[in-house]
Amino acid sequence: MPELPEVETVRRGLAPVLEGSMLAGVELRREGLRFPFTPGMAGRLAGRRVTSLSRRAKYLLATLDDGSTLLMHLGMSGSFRVASGKDRSATDERPGDFHHPRSEFARHDHVVFHVIREGQEDSRIIYNDPRRFGFMLLVPADELGDHPLLCGLGMEPTGNKLSGKALAPLFCGRKAPLKATLLDQRIIAGLGNIYVCEALHGAGLSPKRRTGTLVRGDGRPTARLDLLASEIRTVIARAIEAGGSSLRDHRLTDGSLGYFQHSFSVYDREGKACKRAGCSGLIRRIVQSGRSTFHCPACQR
DNA sequence: AAGTGAACCTGAAGGC
DNA sequence: TGCCTTCAGGTTCACT
């Protein structure tokens, strides 16, 4: 599920449960996900209080009261759900596990956080990830600042940092197609395949266009680069407001669905009519560096 | 430097 | 019904 808006939606769902709470225990139900879990991770988490839950790009960071940080990534198929700690069955919200009908857990439930909070009912936060491209690493306080997964990340597309002026020096001279540049987490951190396609369509820019053509000879941004920056911010903000996009069976932490997928202009709309006012083009799917790009050849130049 | 393809892994969907 | 292929929101690495 996870581009930035989906991760931010997860953060907002988990924060009320996690922040200020104590991790009574953590169950690791396999050796690791994309990477092996940090050695001794479950034991080092037990008894810790979560100070805050934040997000950087597509990463979730749970800061603990000893200064260490649980760094989490959802990969392609990771999701969290919150369950009452009282009931024994983790499958309550996901019935139909035919393979292990007596199991307490659903298939691909890999990590369970047991959370206690004064004055409130105990709860559990369950991480499920069929493809296991996600990961969790426990990072000591003194290693977070220059952690290799975080230190190379580019600017966030939220807030007011992202502008044509900020992008111009990063885009200047680049020959790569815009699609590749926008997916590069070292430039802008948090964009993924869906929102790159959407932002390029919003700005009327071809995904195949060479990046450097959006910067003027004197190094200043063109009007089209200003527009692209604005479209990126808008599409990300709107998607966060909508609770992200729920493709396939992905759900929010409370089991509900995001609904931004209903607002897609191009993503997964191959062969359908372009939604731009006055444009009669049809959305096409092409492949760029192995990934689907959806665009309107008529109005994206 | 830039671009592609493969790898990691499972499941859903479509064609026959 | 089953078998096969293709595709999927991410990231990294090897190769041309």
Side-chain angles (χ1 to χ4, degrees), chain A residues 290-301:
Chain A
R291 310 199 60 193
S292 289
T293 296
F294 297 90
H295 71 122
C296 173
C299 67
Q300 291 182 251
R301 292 300 167 144

Side-chain angles (χ1 to χ4, degrees), chain A residues 4-216:
Chain A
L4 187 154
E6 291 73 38
V7 178
E8 177 60 21
T9 300
V10 169
R11 191 197 68 77
R12 293 179 183 188
L14 293 183
V17 184
L18 267 182
E19 287 183 336
S21 297
M22 172 88 79
L23 298 176
V26 177
E27 296 174 54
L28 306 178
R29 307 194 62 244
R30 54 179 304 123
E31 301 293 301
L33 299 166
R34 181 172 137 205
F35 309 132
F37 292 122
T38 307
M41 189 170 86
R44 290 159 63 186
L45 289 171
R48 297 264 70 90
R49 192 171 294 277
V50 178
T51 307
S52 69
L53 182 66
S54 56
R55 178 193 59 72
R56 173 77 170 103
K58 300 169 192 171
Y59 296 90
L60 283 172
L61 299 90
T63 307
L64 306 172
D65 58 2
D66 65 352
S68 63
T69 297
L70 180 60
L71 181 62
M72 299 176 278
H73 195 290
L74 302 173
M76 287 280 261
S77 59
S79 63
F80 284 100
R81 68 186 191 279
V82 179
S84 150
K86 204 173 52 178
D87 66 64
R88 293 283 302 150
S89 171
T91 63
D92 279 359
E93 294 167 17
R94 295 193 178 187
D97 184 3
F98 311 116
H99 302 285
H100 308 283
R102 299 192 54 197
S103 168
E104 185 181 357
F105 298 104
R107 193 160 164 77
H108 307 306
D109 282 349
H110 303 311
V111 181
V112 183
F113 299 92
H114 294 262
V115 176
I116 58 177
R117 189 184 184 84
E118 286 149 39
Q120 287 193 24
E121 191 181 20
D122 295 354
S123 52
R124 292 179 304 169
I125 297 172
I126 300 154
Y127 179 72
N128 184 285
D129 188 354
R131 296 178 72 179
R132 303 201 301 275
F133 289 169
F135 58 84
M136 295 186 191
L137 299 171
L138 186 54
V139 183
D142 60 340
E143 291 176 22
L144 189 67
D146 56 347
H147 196 281
L149 291 171
L150 299 177
C151 65
L153 291 172
M155 68 183 87
E156 289 278 322
T158 53
N160 55 11
K161 264 194 195 168
L162 180 60
S163 64
K165 191 180 172 190
L167 289 178
L170 302 169
F171 278 31
C172 186
R174 284 181 80 97
K175 293 169 189 166
L178 280 174
K179 173 77 186 301
T181 298
L182 295 182
L183 282 175
D184 188 337
Q185 303 295 299
R186 297 169 301 181
I187 312 272
I188 302 171
L191 301 183
N193 208 31
I194 292 178
Y195 299 108
V196 166
C197 291
E198 294 296 313
L200 285 171
H201 179 262
L205 288 165
S206 168
K208 294 185 276 194
R209 186 184 178 116
R210 299 222 282 182
T211 302
T213 64
L214 294 185
V215 182
R216 306 199 309 187

